[in-house]
Amino acid sequence: MDPSPEYVLDWMDRRGYSFPALWDGEGENFEDLWSWPETWVLDREGRMVFNFGETPGNWGQEVGWMVEAVLEG
């Protein structure tokens, strides 16, 4: 299933997420975008701390340490 932008934005709103979501074709204007798809880990001020493209293996294990590092500040 490829949900519509309306579905995704409603889902995010119900969960209290307020960060922007990029849709196909919107990433060309971002200088820091180096692959597609790309995942960004942001700090509480919205600054990019980590970014990466495809992640091999278990995504949760690969990214978990990054999120923990940001939360520990």
Side-chain angles (χ1 to χ4, degrees):
M1 175 180 163
D2 189 12
S4 69
E6 294 80 17
Y7 175 88
V8 173
L9 294 173
D10 181 58
W11 181 90
M12 291 173 62
D13 187 53
R14 287 192 316 262
R15 286 160 179 78
Y17 297 133
S18 61
F19 53 84
L22 297 178
W23 308 106
D24 286 344
E26 291 183 346
E28 295 97 14
N29 297 324
F30 288 88
E31 294 176 13
D32 292 330
L33 191 67
W34 57 274
S35 77
W36 192 264
E38 185 171 357
T39 300
W40 299 347
V41 179
L42 308 177
D43 66 12
R44 289 185 170 113
E45 285 76 41
R47 295 176 298 219
M48 184 187 316
V49 180
F50 300 104
N51 67 326
F52 54 91
E54 293 184 38
T55 303
N58 184 314
W59 192 87
Q61 289 178 343
E62 296 287 331
V63 179
W65 72 267
M66 296 178 199
V67 173
E68 289 176 13
V70 170
L71 291 175
E72 291 174 2

